[in-house]
Amino acid sequence: MKVQIKTKLLTILILTALIPIMVIGWVGYSSTINISQIAAKANRNIADLAMTDSSAALSSELKTRLQALTEGYAGDINELLQQVQSDTVHLADFANYLYTHSKTLQRYAYPSTYEPAPENKMFGSRQPNENSWLGVFGNGVDKKGNVSKTTLKEIYFTEYMDIVFKSVAKTNSYAVQLYINTANQLSRGMPFVDGQFKWVDATIQFAKIQDVTAFDFYYLADAKNNPDRGPEWTELYWDPAGLGWMVSSIAPVYLKDKVVAVTGIDITLERIIKSILNLQIEDSGFAFLMSERGQAIAFPERAAEFLEFHGSLKGVFKENEAFKHSLTEVRDAAFQSIIKAMQQGQHDLTTYTDPKNGQEYFFAYHAIPVTGWSVAIVVPAKEVIAPALLTNQKIEQSRETTSAMLNERSASLVQTFLWLIVGTVLVLILIALLFARTISRPIQLLAEGSRRVGAGELDHRIQLRSGDEIEALAVTFNQMAIDLKAKIDEIETANQELLQLDQLKSKFISMASHELRTPLIAIQGYVDLIREGKGGAISPEQHKMLDTVSRNATRLARIVTELLDVSRIEENKLVLEFAPVSLQTAIQDIAEEQQPYFASRGHRLTLELENDLPPVNGDTDRISQVIINLLGNAIKYTPDNGQIMIRAYAEKEQVHIEVHDTGIGIKPEDIGKLFKRFSTLGDITKHRTGKNEFMAGGTGLGLSIVQGIVQAHGGNIWVESEYGKGSIFHVTLPIATELTVSTTITPIAQPSELITIDHAVVADTKAMKIVDTDAVPAFKVLRFEQEHKPQIALPAEEKLSVLIVDDEPDVITFTRDLLEENYTIFTAQTSATAIKEAINKKPDLLLLDAWIPGISGYDICRTLKRNSHTRDTPIIIFTAATQAIDEERARAAGADGFVTKPFRREQLVELIERFRESP
């Protein structure tokens, strides 16, 4: 943030005056606040002390009371359950006698009548009487409901159990049912409701029970679950007669170390725990009863939320459903530690804090020895200290009243102090404004002058007469503006000269490169003719020399092409034909086309191309040249028998290409130079082979052109390399979104069609393409598909007449020598002569150079195609220009074919013959 000098001066003056006032005021204000805080703290200490004393007294009283209550309830329940357990043992002893002496017993004096109940798959007593009910279940009866003789005998001698059933019922009012269940699926019992005997039909009450030994009131007493053979207690279950939740005291009956029966006494919880359920300490305190296994046995409804019980209080006897709410699985670790202590038979009074709401509880518990159960009482701590809280609230109200009075006095003091400051500030502002203006005005003039000079007004001068250091600064600034203008004029002049030189350089490169193609055409063409024996027989040594000439001519053609590309880069004349390009197809085609050159270096190439690779938006030829160039560098800078890999895969909205090699790598300091023009790195002589002597060097333009291609396509290129171990070149290209073809002139560097790269790779397995990336100078031999397709109506044995039009005599001579064996040749070196010869001699076909001084070849083509005498004569345009735009110009001019220089005789002859009418 910018702050003016005037503001700074004003701030300094105000602060100088206000600081002493504010210090004095702050001291007075702080003293008032301190007094207020001391008074508030004293009131709070009094309230806390009163709260602490009263809370401690109340808590101590409640603890004593809770311990007495839990101990009393535990003792009462233990005494009651001890009686029930003793009676159960008495039943078991009597049953044991019956089983031991079953053979000597006579029939019971008051027997019951028994009959089958096949509709319920049972056998039992169905006629009301004063005896116990009987039922035989499951596999104890057959399909008709009858029992075996052995079971019938057991039914008869167990009738004697009625004697002890009635005896126990008279002395134990808590027993609601006394029973015996046997291993043979026999069950006998005698129920009592409010102390009165009540007969039931067991075949209806317990209809279709499959296995009486599967219930806990039997299996808890067997040898597996009760190896000590003592009495046991069941968990809670729902009484089938509707008497509510009950538990059973059970005891096993053994005969020769085998459990033959289990006796039991059912007691309802209502009578035992009624006092527990109705117990209320303070406002919401409660008690609950828990079994040795951690199951809740009884608790009031208001305790359900604390014990996290959300189930039903109804049970189904026939499904052997016990009441299940395990307190070992609820709440947090602190609660679980209390439950564990209760399971271990301990007794204590502790505190528990609910983690959900932070509420604290007093928690007292005591064990019931006979069953291993425990009684617990829980009381919220806040209800215990409620009287203390009320007292503390009154003290707090008094403290707040005192604090309010002190705050009011402090506010009055602050208000007076603030008015004093406001008045002082107003006076100081008027004084400071007058003083600051005399300093800020010259500085403003200096700042305005600096801004105008910085904006380019170098002739502007600051006019200032202040007689101080600021005036001296203005004079120095004016001199600096004069010097700056002089330097800028010098730089602009130098830049203009450099720009002109750069333009001359580009034009020279373009012109020189174009002109170099003409002698190259003649050199390459005549070398091919001599090697074919047109000039007479040649020796093997001469053939070898001609191969060397041809190879170097090819290399020179590549250099010329690269120079032309540099020229196009600088002149922003790069042309791309955008269309969807299949990289998978392009990479595989390059591999197959270059296969013959692989073995020369012994490299192994691996292709990892993602399936269903999406097409990219680009120029097919240019993208192919990127791959060829990168693969060529990998081969060139990788020692013999190296490993090279090309990967291609889609990521987001682009396709990623990677070219890996195990070559010599690139030094970190050289990576920044890699994509600059005329930059060559690495020493390839260390791994050159005799088969590829032409590898020793390069122009240093390849990667610069590759970068231009990639950037022109909206992509990116970079390299990762470890010196001495190899490199990975990365290229990303955008995925094609529109399946349309477009031509774009792109002002970014791009390689030409003519590229020479030396490659060699060893053939891989069947799952891999064999790739060769050595390229010879590319040339195009095309026949356009025009609306009107001219044909030459001459039989194959007759020679066609061909008119060759070119301004270069050497090209005409070379082309004549190339074609005169097959055709009758006419020639023309100027535009006018070409049109005249075409009309007068009516050749069968014209071979027309695109760039002839005066009227260009394109214009000649248009003229002849409009003339009725030459309209049907096929015209092939041939040119040293290799851009796609040159091809389009030829097509637009009406040409029937297009050939780039240099060209091969066999391809040119094949194109000419295609215009001959088929017989």
Side-chain angles (χ1 to χ4, degrees), residues 439 442-443 445-446 462-479:
I439 298 177
I443 295 176
L445 290 175
L446 186 62
I462 300 173
Q463 305 298 328
L464 183 60
R465 296 290 183 271
S466 62
D468 54 14
E469 291 85 350
I470 297 178
E471 180 180 347
L473 181 60
V475 172
T476 303
F477 184 85
N478 290 337
Q479 184 60 44

Side-chain angles (χ1 to χ4, degrees), residues 14-15 17-33 408-426:
I14 292 175
L15 290 177
L18 287 182
I19 287 176
I21 298 175
M22 294 181 68
V23 169
I24 295 172
W26 175 254
V27 171
Y29 176 73
S30 297
S31 299
T32 304
I33 295 299
E408 184 178 355
R409 297 292 178 87
S410 299
S412 175
L413 177 62
V414 171
Q415 186 176 11
T416 303
F417 177 68
L418 290 176
W419 279 114
L420 177 62
I421 291 177
V422 170
T424 305
V425 169
L426 291 176

Side-chain angles (χ1 to χ4, degrees), residues 472-718:
L473 181 60
V475 172
T476 303
F477 184 85
N478 290 337
Q479 184 60 44
M480 182 185 68
I482 295 171
D483 296 340
L484 180 61
K485 186 175 184 304
K487 292 295 182 183
I488 290 177
D489 291 341
E490 292 177 7
I491 293 172
E492 287 181 349
T493 301
N495 283 342
Q496 190 64 30
E497 291 175 354
L498 288 174
L499 182 59
Q500 291 175 355
L501 288 174
D502 192 59
Q503 291 174 347
L504 287 174
K505 180 201 69 174
S506 297
K507 289 179 181 179
F508 172 76
I509 291 175
S510 178
M511 179 184 67
S513 301
H514 189 274
E515 290 303 320
L516 282 173
R517 283 182 177 272
T518 299
L520 282 175
I521 293 169
I523 293 171
Q524 184 67 57
Y526 278 118
V527 166
D528 291 342
L529 287 175
I530 294 171
R531 285 193 297 187
E532 292 173 4
K534 300 299 181 181
I538 60 175
S539 66
E541 288 298 324
Q542 291 172 330
H543 199 286
K544 183 177 180 181
M545 294 177 186
L546 290 172
D547 288 344
T548 303
V549 173
S550 177
R551 186 165 59 248
N552 282 277
T554 299
R555 183 178 178 188
L556 184 57
R558 174 177 60 82
I559 295 173
V560 170
T561 300
E562 290 178 347
L563 290 173
L564 282 173
D565 282 338
V566 172
S567 176
R568 295 188 190 111
I569 293 169
E570 294 177 346
E571 295 177 5
N572 292 336
K573 292 183 179 179
L574 188 64
V575 178
L576 295 177
E577 289 188 355
F578 283 94
V581 178
S582 171
L583 283 177
Q584 189 169 15
T585 301
I587 293 172
Q588 291 174 344
D589 287 349
I590 290 171
E592 292 174 359
E593 290 171 2
Q594 308 305 323
Q595 181 177 355
Y597 298 91
F598 294 170
S600 62
R601 292 298 304 283
H603 292 323
R604 181 181 182 86
L605 178 71
T606 303
L607 297 184
E608 291 187 6
L609 308 180
E610 184 180 273
N611 293 330
D612 301 324
L613 196 64
V616 298
N617 191 31
D619 186 305
T620 302
D621 293 338
R622 297 301 189 180
I623 290 176
S624 296
Q625 292 163 15
V626 169
I627 299 169
I628 290 172
N629 190 290
L630 294 179
L631 190 56
N633 284 343
I635 294 172
K636 182 186 295 186
Y637 292 103
T638 299
D640 291 351
N641 303 312
Q643 299 290 330
I644 298 174
M645 178 177 68
I646 300 179
R647 295 184 63 210
Y649 53 91
E651 57 178 21
K652 296 183 179 179
E653 298 181 356
Q654 59 188 8
V655 174
H656 195 140
I657 306 168
E658 298 177 4
V659 179
H660 300 242
D661 65 59
T662 57
I664 61 177
I666 305 166
K667 296 179 180 179
E669 62 268 22
D670 290 336
I671 289 180
K673 310 172 188 176
L674 198 61
F675 295 100
K676 294 182 179 180
R677 288 178 298 176
F678 306 108
S679 176
T680 57
L681 305 175
D683 183 5
I684 62 173
T685 60
K686 294 180 180 179
H687 50 274
R688 189 192 313 172
T689 69
K691 300 177 183 178
N692 282 333
E693 296 176 358
F694 60 87
M695 290 179 53
T699 61
L701 294 174
L703 287 178
S704 174
I705 295 172
V706 165
Q707 185 184 49
I709 291 177
V710 174
Q711 291 177 350
H713 284 80
N716 195 14
I717 181 171
W718 69 97

